[in-house]
């Protein structure tokens, strides 16, 4: 691989996508042989032991990973005074562990058993209780009207004779003409007729 690239420095400058095709047999080099024997995008790295031991469906993926690790090792060797085996062995272990992990069978899916019918009904009843409790805790229409205040209209209070003090609570829109749940439908229609 180093001799085909032209040296360690040239191999270090080569991108990993080009490293995997170094030594590739071109179609014109087959000299009239079958094109079935030509493997595109595969170079001399295909002959590595790690790639040969891979199943055929994982070879291209493993080849890309191995080419990337070869590029890292070449760059490390080119930057140091002398080549060291430590990094190469670590990268080899990394690639072999990845390939082994890919070849492991996928984990079996756990099939959850169906719930018993009485449990399902219990959950529906519990949900109905939650919905009823939520309805009971909602704010009533009277409380909503009491919290609203009309613009530029004095608010009614329980004791009109005293001056308004901080902390006094008024009735808000409760008791105003045309407001509140106590108003009958006839009054509403009469009010609408007057406004038109």
């Amino acid at each position: 691989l180093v001799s085909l690239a032209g040296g360690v420095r040239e191999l270090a400058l080569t991108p990993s996508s080009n490293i995997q095709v170094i030594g590739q047999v071109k179609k014109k080099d087959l000299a009239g042989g079958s094109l079935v024997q030509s493997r595109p995008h595969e170079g001399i790295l295909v002959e590595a032991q790690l790639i040969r031991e891979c199943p055929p469906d994982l070879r291209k993926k493993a080849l890309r990973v191995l080419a990337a690790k070869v590029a890292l090792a070449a760059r490390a060797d080119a930057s140091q005074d002398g080549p060291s085996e430590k990094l190469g062995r670590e990268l080899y272990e990394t690639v072999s562990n990845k390939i082994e992990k890919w070849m492991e069978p996928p984990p079996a899916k756990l099939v959850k058993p169906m719930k018993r019918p009485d449990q399902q009904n219990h959950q529906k009843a519990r949900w109905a209780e939650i919905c009823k409790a939520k309805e009971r805790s909602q704010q009533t229409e009277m409380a909503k009207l009491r919290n609203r205040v009309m613009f530029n209209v004095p608010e009614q209070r329980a004791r009109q004779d005293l001056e308004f003090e901080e902390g006094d609570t008024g009735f808000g829109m409760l008791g105003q003409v045309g407001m509140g749940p106590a108003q009958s439908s006839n009054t509403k229609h009469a009010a609408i007729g007057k406004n038109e």
Side-chain angles (χ1 to χ4, degrees):
L1 191 63
V2 172
S3 63
L4 285 171
V8 176
R9 183 164 178 73
E10 286 75 15
L11 187 63
L13 295 173
T14 309
S16 63
S17 59
N18 292 353
I19 288 176
Q20 70 184 8
V21 295
I22 289 178
Q24 177 184 4
V25 178
K26 306 279 185 183
K27 287 183 183 179
K28 63 182 179 181
D29 296 341
L30 291 174
S34 172
L35 293 179
V36 176
Q37 298 296 324
S38 69
R39 294 177 296 197
H41 308 296
E42 292 180 358
I44 200 169
L45 274 181
V46 176
E47 304 303 323
Q49 183 183 357
L50 278 174
I51 306 299
R52 277 187 285 141
E53 291 173 355
C54 273
D57 56 331
L58 292 177
R59 278 193 185 149
K60 284 190 178 181
K61 191 175 181 182
L63 184 62
R64 282 195 297 269
V65 173
L66 183 62
K69 299 304 179 188
V70 166
L72 283 175
R75 289 169 191 158
D77 287 346
S79 64
Q80 294 176 356
D81 294 335
S84 67
E85 294 181 10
K86 185 180 178 185
L87 179 65
R89 291 190 189 280
E90 287 176 6
L91 294 174
Y92 181 85
E93 289 296 322
T94 305
V95 173
S96 63
N97 290 341
K98 274 189 180 183
I99 293 171
E100 285 175 11
K101 192 169 185 180
W102 293 338
M103 288 193 290
E104 289 177 3
K109 291 184 178 179
L110 296 174
V111 179
K112 294 182 179 179
M114 292 181 67
K115 295 180 181 177
R116 292 196 326 247
D118 58 339
Q119 286 181 334
Q120 291 176 351
N121 293 339
H122 176 70
Q123 285 180 344
K124 286 181 183 177
R126 178 72 183 127
W127 182 251
E129 288 176 14
I130 291 170
C131 290
K132 285 179 185 175
K134 191 174 179 182
E135 286 175 10
R136 284 194 299 266
S137 64
Q138 283 182 344
Q139 198 174 27
T140 61
E141 287 295 321
M142 290 183 71
K144 286 179 185 177
L145 288 172
R146 194 173 134 229
N147 291 336
R148 290 185 187 153
V149 178
M150 290 180 69
F151 180 72
N152 207 12
V153 175
E155 187 179 12
Q156 290 185 0
R157 287 179 284 134
R159 307 241 352 232
Q160 294 289 341
D161 53 340
L162 299 175
E163 291 184 19
F164 183 76
E165 293 180 11
E166 194 172 327
D168 282 354
T169 56
F171 293 133
M173 291 176 68
L174 191 65
Q176 298 287 339
V177 178
M179 301 293 169
Q183 184 181 12
S184 68
S185 60
N186 294 337
T187 317
K188 285 182 184 176
H189 291 302
I192 291 169
K194 286 179 183 176
N195 290 337
E196 292 176 355

